[in-house]
Amino acid sequence: MNYLHYLAKFVSGTLVVLLLTFIINLIFDPLWYMGGNKVDDYNYAFDERTSKLNLVENSDFNCLILGSSRVTFIRPSEIKSATCFNSAFSRAVVEEFLPYINRLKFSGMNKLDYLIIGVDGFNFFGESKFKNIPRTAVAESPPIIFESYLSFDTLVFSYRLFTEDANLPRFYDKNFEVDVHKSIPTFDPKHQLAGAIEGGYYPSKLSEYMEVVEVAEAQAVIFYVPPLSAWHIQDLDKKGELENYIKAIYEFVNQGFTIIDYSIISPVTKNKNNTYDGHHYLPHINSLITSNLHQIMKGQRPELADFGVVVNNYSFTSFVALYKGRLAQFKQENIH
Amino acid sequence: MLFNSFEFIFIFLPITFILYYLIAKQNWDRIAVAWLVLASLFFYAWWNPSYLILIIFSMLFNYSMGVVIARLGNARSSKLFLVIGVSINLALLGYFKYTNFIVEQINWALGNSFHLEKIILPLAISFFTFQQIAYLVDTYRHETKEYNFSHYCLFVTFFPQLIAGPIVHHKEMLPQFSNALTSRVNSRNMSIGLTIFTIGLFKKVILADNVALSATPIFDAAGKGAAITFFEAWGGAIAYTLQLYFDFSGYSDMAIGIAFMFGIQLPINFNSPYKAVSIIDFWRRWHITLSRFLRDYLYIALGGNRHGNTRRYLNLFLTMLLGGIWHGAGWTFIVWGMLHGSYLMINHGWRKLRKDVLNWSDNIPLWEHVTARIITLLAVIVGWVYFRAETLAGANHMIATMTGFNGLSLPQSMQSIFGSYAANLSDVGVIFEGMFGGYKANFVEGIVWIIALTPIALFAPNSMQIANGLFSLNLGQLTVNTYHRIKPNHTATLNYIAWLAGVTFGIIILNLFKVSEFLYFQF
């Protein structure tokens, strides 16, 4: 036996497996190293935390959007006056923003003109949910493409992209902006409310937001509260935490920041057809939010119609009264 | 740096080997040895550079003691130096491995609350301490012939066997370093090494790591005192029995394979231990190099079987007890050692009874062979429960559940079979609430792994038999039977194996790097 031949065959066998896997993963690019899916116009959020860091490498932006999956719906392309990067990711908690900002700074983020932060009420309630931070957000270097794409797990992601086996009702288009699948579930408030706020009130969480603002060093900071269904607000009231929730939102006004609250009960949040689960609202609703944010960025007053309120226009007492008034009206409408 | 890590497979091993190969091409034996020592020290330092001082001190100290003992020859003082040498080795091992445990026990016994910071156990200290104690003892016995410093350093630090064995003996290593080391770097040894390494990696990454998913939650639950069912406890214990074998023997295979690539042959460490027909047989098949050490340097030193049966049994028990303590500082390891000590005493007693009293034939009938294998395996599984459990309470909880003391829950569908008797069964702890409780999810996949791996462990040829069959290895003292279905060196077979091994290696690489999907819960 010629053992050089043996070695050649061994190495060839290994290379065939590795190269095939790597090429397939490059074509579908499930972790967004190389501009995403080359076969179709959609990308899935297998792990937005890591994927978005891969996506942001070598890109220039002067406006950063932070938040949870509720904020992923904000489309940077609809904000014409700045180059925005939406780095929101699923189940993001405020404690994750700081390492994330540091990570972005480490990879050469430009000085920010705008910082937009979606404030989720759940950050102020319950024990710290500070977990699931990818190593990319805390380490000095993300996993190299070879490490990620020479993996059977990633090959499964590629296969799922190929077979359109979606993991969520939402997906990313070819420009990495969120859209929803045609067959999305219908929000049914009679079932257990997904994304309902749980646990006791932790007002100290505000300091985490302030630290993020300080480190980001943006010229202008805009906060907004993503929409929540009226049933979610009613649930908060049932749990006796509505006043704390309102307090948490109003603290941003006390700190001197602009904040728009879209979670206050409105015709939009009373309509089950605008959301698939009561806390993720459809793209056309989020376009209204994006438009308002854009108006603020341009120094204009946001045209809110009857969706959302600029919290800064109210005293705390009147803001509480507004909340409770709308809740009472909603309860009245839903008495049957 | 683990063998199944990216940095080892793609960076450390290729660089170490390529440079070694280039040195070997020039026939620079001394430089080759020096390079391997340097690479091995780097490999060790990767874990924690500060402990490099410890291993270097240990090497320098033991080498110096060895030289002194050898020079003193038969002088009485040579024994003094041996005692000093062994004592300092044991003191180092004792300090790092047992101090915290001893302080805890003293605190418990005296009701004190003396606090001692946790002492970090230096990597591989148990292994390199044992190897060097054996060297000192053999030097004292005039059984060492070579005192080349660089060879000694390589004997202690050689990276494939440094972390988890096999525990090498100077007699089988030092001659290899002296004997045209570089001439053995060739395509044949590379092929053999890569193939054995691939088998080991497959056992570790694909088999052990997957079956572990069924063992870990059960042991964790038992450790917390949570309720587990009879079937869950057995499933967890069997899963761990398989995990440990495939993990540890896989790691040994990897070590042997890597060493082969460098033209160095390490001793075999596993020989299908779960095929053992007795506990004596088991210890000739499981962690063979440790058994060898315990026999040669502990059991025989205690007097072996030279002072009558009572002392022999006591020595067996003490040897296994100390073997248990060597594995770790904790009551679970002590109990595990005592269990195996007891097993060996019973086994030897049974052999004597069988031969001298019952006058049974040496030709063991099939029924006895099968019974012996089952009893041996059950005894080993019970031992592994103590070996794996974090606490004695957790282990006892597992054993109590496995023996039915915590009741027996059968499938609800069986209730109708027992009819009116079902109510009476509840009086003896038999209920019909399903075989699995809270850990059902783990067992759906887990049972598949257990079913798949059990016949491999119990009946299949082991990696060394396969390698021996493929490449006609000269396995030295520790020979294993060839797997005869393979025609050695048959070109067509080897061509097929080369492709298969290469593709398998590729698949394993794909399984090394885990990329998890974010679990969204309700988000």
Side-chain angles (χ1 to χ4, degrees):
Chain A
M1 174 75 191
N2 184 334
Y3 283 99
L4 280 174
H5 289 176
Y6 184 96
L7 285 174
K9 289 182 178 76
F10 181 99
V11 172
S12 303
T14 303
L15 285 177
V16 164
V17 171
L18 297 185
L19 278 173
L20 263 176
T21 304
F22 192 72
I23 290 164
I24 290 167
N25 283 335
L26 273 186
I27 291 167
F28 286 96
D29 199 19
L31 298 177
W32 309 356
Y33 282 91
M34 308 292 287
N37 191 348
K38 312 284 184 299
V39 176
D40 253 310
D41 290 343
Y42 55 84
N43 294 282
Y44 294 156
F46 292 112
D47 180 4
E48 289 159 304
R49 283 165 170 76
T50 307
S51 301
K52 289 206 169 180
L53 282 174
N54 295 334
L55 190 65
V56 80
E57 288 286 318
N58 309 317
S59 64
D60 280 338
F61 54 91
N62 64 341
C63 153
L64 181 69
I65 301 163
L66 289 173
S68 72
S69 52
R70 298 161 179 176
V71 181
T72 58
F73 287 82
I74 301 295
R75 292 179 169 177
S77 63
E78 293 175 6
I79 300 172
K80 305 288 182 203
S81 59
T83 309
C84 285
F85 177 70
N86 187 338
S87 70
F89 44 82
S90 186
R91 205 66 176 97
V93 292
V94 63
E95 293 95 328
E96 286 180 281
F97 295 165
L98 195 59
Y100 223 82
I101 290 265
N102 283 330
R103 169 76 209 137
L104 291 173
K105 277 184 142 183
F106 179 83
S107 48
M109 178 174 76
N110 293 334
K111 206 140 179 65
L112 291 174
D113 292 329
Y114 302 99
L115 176 66
I116 298 168
I117 302 180
V119 177
D120 288 290
F122 64 73
N123 276 305
F124 290 90
F125 292 87
E127 287 291 311
S128 172
K129 304 167 191 78
F130 189 40
K131 55 188 174 189
N132 290 315
I133 294 190
R135 56 181 260 205
T136 41
V138 286
E140 287 200 345
S141 56
I144 57 171
I145 192 167
F146 294 104
E147 206 173 325
S148 294
Y149 281 1
L150 287 176
S151 166
F152 182 75
D153 295 336
T154 322
L155 192 63
V156 171
F157 294 165
S158 293
Y159 175 75
R160 283 172 59 182
L161 278 161
F162 176 67
T163 56
E164 298 186 35
D165 175 12
N167 53 347
L168 290 168
R170 63 190 174 89
F171 69 95
Y172 285 81
D173 63 18
K174 64 175 182 216
N175 299 317
F176 297 99
E177 295 190 321
V178 166
D179 206 338
V180 290
H181 293 285
K182 288 186 183 76
S183 54
I184 50 167
T186 311
F187 172 48
D188 183 1
K190 289 193 187 80
H191 290 138
Q192 194 187 358
L193 291 175
I197 286 164
E198 304 285 349
Y201 176 49
Y202 288 80
S204 59
K205 292 293 186 71
L206 181 79
S207 63
E208 302 276 355
Y209 282 100
M210 295 306 114
E211 203 173 345
V212 169
V213 168
E214 199 178 320
V215 171
E217 299 176 297
Q219 296 290 314
V221 183
I222 307 162
F223 289 99
Y224 84 97
V225 184
L228 272 178
S229 81
W231 291 269
H232 280 76
I233 298 298
Q234 184 176 248
D235 177 66
L236 260 173
D237 184 51
K238 273 184 198 160
K239 289 170 179 166
E241 293 288 5
L242 183 60
E243 199 136 339
N244 283 332
Y245 177 76
I246 300 166
K247 249 188 237 170
I249 294 169
Y250 203 83
E251 271 306 314
F252 289 88
V253 176
N254 291 337
Q255 295 292 327
F257 291 101
T258 302
I259 181 161
I260 310 174
D261 179 11
Y262 293 97
S263 68
I264 189 165
I265 295 177
S266 68
V268 169
T269 65
K270 284 193 276 191
N271 185 344
K272 294 175 215 167
N273 297 325
N274 289 328
T275 172
Y276 55 78
D277 59 5
H279 63 112
H280 290 99
Y281 276 75
L282 300 184
H284 70 277
I285 300 296
N286 276 285
S287 287
L288 298 173
I289 297 169
T290 311
S291 165
N292 294 158
L293 294 171
H294 194 204
Q295 286 159 344
I296 292 173
M297 286 163 78
K298 289 194 292 187
Q300 301 165 352
R301 287 184 60 183
E303 296 162 19
L304 295 172
D306 51 4
F307 175 43
V309 295
V310 178
V311 185
N312 306 60
N313 296 342
Y314 297 85
S315 69
F316 178 65
T317 316
S318 58
F319 187 52
V320 172
L322 184 69
Y323 246 94
K324 293 199 167 172
R326 291 195 184 186
L327 177 62
Q329 190 190 344
F330 173 70
K331 282 179 177 172
Q332 191 65 35
E333 290 165 3
N334 278 269
I335 204 150
H336 304 296
Chain B
M1 204 186 310
L2 295 171
F3 294 158
N4 55 322
S5 65
F6 180 86
E7 56 268 23
F8 181 83
I9 293 172
F10 287 98
I11 300 165
F12 177 82
L13 187 59
I15 290 172
T16 306
F17 181 79
I18 289 164
L19 266 163
Y20 183 77
Y21 178 78
L22 293 174
I23 294 164
K25 280 196 74 122
Q26 305 300 320
N27 295 322
W28 293 336
D29 268 26
R30 281 182 179 183
I31 296 171
V33 169
W35 168 241
L36 282 183
V37 172
L38 273 175
S40 298
L41 289 173
F42 176 84
F43 176 82
Y44 188 78
W46 184 263
W47 166 70
N48 186 340
S50 62
Y51 283 104
L52 203 54
I53 299 161
L54 180 78
I55 196 170
I56 290 169
F57 164 78
S58 177
M59 268 185 328
L60 290 171
F61 171 77
N62 284 294
Y63 177 76
S64 310
M65 292 303 277
V67 168
V68 170
I69 292 166
R71 283 190 184 161
L72 287 169
N74 291 323
R76 278 190 180 180
S77 50
S78 71
K79 190 166 190 174
L80 174 69
F81 279 94
L82 171 69
V83 171
I84 292 167
V86 172
S87 301
I88 287 179
N89 275 298
L90 291 177
L92 267 180
L93 183 63
Y95 169 75
F96 283 108
K97 199 161 182 170
Y98 304 107
T99 308
N100 285 120
F101 176 68
I102 290 163
V103 168
E104 276 172 31
Q105 302 318 305
I106 292 168
N107 278 342
W108 177 80
L110 304 177
N112 294 344
S113 55
F114 176 73
H115 175 72
L116 182 71
E117 283 301 313
K118 188 158 178 59
I119 299 165
I120 295 167
L121 183 69
L123 198 66
I125 189 169
S126 306
F127 290 93
F128 66 71
T129 302
F130 264 30
Q131 281 175 209
Q132 295 185 103
I133 287 174
Y135 178 79
L136 292 183
V137 171
D138 285 354
T139 306
Y140 175 75
R141 293 174 180 167
H142 312 302
E143 289 174 15
T144 51
K145 294 179 183 68
E146 198 202 319
Y147 305 100
N148 178 308
F149 179 64
S150 60
H151 290 181
Y152 180 83
C153 289
L154 186 55
F155 152 65
V156 175
T157 62
F158 187 40
F159 72 89
Q161 51 83 47
L162 180 59
I163 293 178
I167 301 172
V168 293
H169 196 272
H170 60 89
K171 279 182 191 169
E172 64 207 359
M173 297 305 285
L174 292 174
Q176 290 192 68
F177 305 151
S178 314
N179 185 15
L181 176 63
T182 52
S183 68
R184 296 196 297 274
V185 181
N186 55 47
S187 58
R188 182 175 184 271
N189 283 342
M190 264 287 284
S191 304
I192 294 167
L194 269 175
T195 307
I196 296 173
F197 179 74
T198 302
I199 295 170
L201 200 59
F202 180 81
K203 281 160 81 174
K204 162 79 183 117
V205 174
I206 307 292
L207 306 186
D209 288 357
N210 278 304
V211 81
L213 300 174
S214 308
T216 308
I218 301 299
F219 276 93
D220 287 352
K224 289 173 190 157
I228 47 175
T229 69
F230 173 86
F231 292 100
E232 281 171 341
W234 271 104
I238 293 167
Y240 180 68
T241 299
L242 294 164
Q243 179 203 340
L244 186 61
Y245 169 59
F246 287 111
D247 190 295
F248 196 6
S249 70
Y251 218 81
S252 289
D253 291 343
M254 286 188 259
I256 291 164
I258 296 161
F260 244 109
M261 289 161 64
F262 289 86
I264 294 164
Q265 202 166 313
L266 296 181
I268 291 165
N269 216 18
F270 287 86
N271 185 13
S272 304
Y274 297 154
K275 291 179 186 174
V277 290
S278 67
I279 290 292
I280 296 167
D281 188 27
F282 174 79
W283 280 105
R284 287 175 184 157
R285 294 164 171 269
W286 178 275
H287 204 173
I288 296 164
T289 55
L290 173 68
S291 309
R292 180 179 65 175
F293 180 92
L294 293 174
R295 183 195 64 206
D296 294 349
Y297 298 96
L298 197 54
Y299 176 70
I300 290 170
L302 287 167
N305 53 6
R306 300 190 301 274
H307 305 290
N309 273 334
T310 309
R311 267 294 296 276
R312 178 198 192 184
Y313 289 136
L314 182 65
N315 291 340
L316 279 171
F317 186 82
L318 283 174
T319 301
M320 293 317 292
L321 172 61
L322 291 167
I325 294 168
W326 177 84
H327 279 88
W331 284 105
T332 51
F333 292 109
I334 291 170
V335 171
W336 177 78
M338 287 162 70
L339 263 178
H340 273 275
S342 308
Y343 290 162
L344 282 174
M345 286 161 66
I346 293 164
N347 197 171
H348 279 279
W350 165 248
R351 278 192 177 187
K352 199 169 168 54
L353 181 78
R354 194 183 179 283
K355 190 180 172 199
D356 299 347
V357 180
L358 300 172
N359 291 317
W360 285 9
S361 157
D362 284 344
N363 295 324
I364 296 174
L366 182 65
W367 71 265
E368 195 185 343
H369 181 89
V370 172
T371 309
R373 273 190 72 171
I374 291 167
I375 291 169
T376 303
L377 193 58
L378 287 174
V380 168
I381 291 170
V382 167
W384 289 147
V385 169
Y386 283 93
F387 192 86
R388 168 60 179 80
E390 297 288 330
T391 61
L392 264 186
N396 291 336
H397 180 36
M398 281 283 288
I399 296 294
T401 309
M402 286 162 72
T403 46
F405 280 95
N406 292 334
L408 174 64
S409 180
L410 296 171
Q412 288 169 322
S413 56
M414 286 180 74
Q415 195 160 0
S416 55
I417 298 168
F418 289 93
S420 58
Y421 296 106
N424 301 335
L425 286 172
S426 66
D427 297 338
V428 288
V430 179
I431 53 172
F432 297 89
E433 291 177 4
M435 290 161 71
F436 304 111
Y439 307 97
K440 197 171 183 173
N442 299 314
F443 269 104
V444 174
E445 193 181 340
I447 285 172
V448 174
W449 279 106
I450 290 168
I451 290 169
L453 266 55
T454 301
I456 297 172
L458 295 184
F459 307 110
N462 62 54
S463 42
M464 284 301 132
Q465 287 172 316
I466 293 167
N468 201 21
L470 285 171
F471 302 106
S472 305
L473 302 178
N474 172 21
L475 293 168
Q477 293 176 311
L478 294 161
T479 53
V480 292
N481 297 328
T482 299
Y483 182 51
H484 289 291
R485 287 199 177 170
I486 298 170
K487 294 175 180 171
N489 290 334
H490 190 278
T491 304
T493 307
L494 281 179
N495 279 334
Y496 168 73
I497 293 292
W499 280 109
L500 180 70
V503 168
T504 305
F505 188 67
I507 290 167
I508 296 164
I509 299 295
L510 298 183
N511 279 275
L512 287 183
F513 311 126
K514 296 292 174 195
V515 179
S516 307
E517 183 176 1
F518 178 73
L519 298 173
Y520 289 88
F521 308 106
Q522 295 182 314
F523 278 75

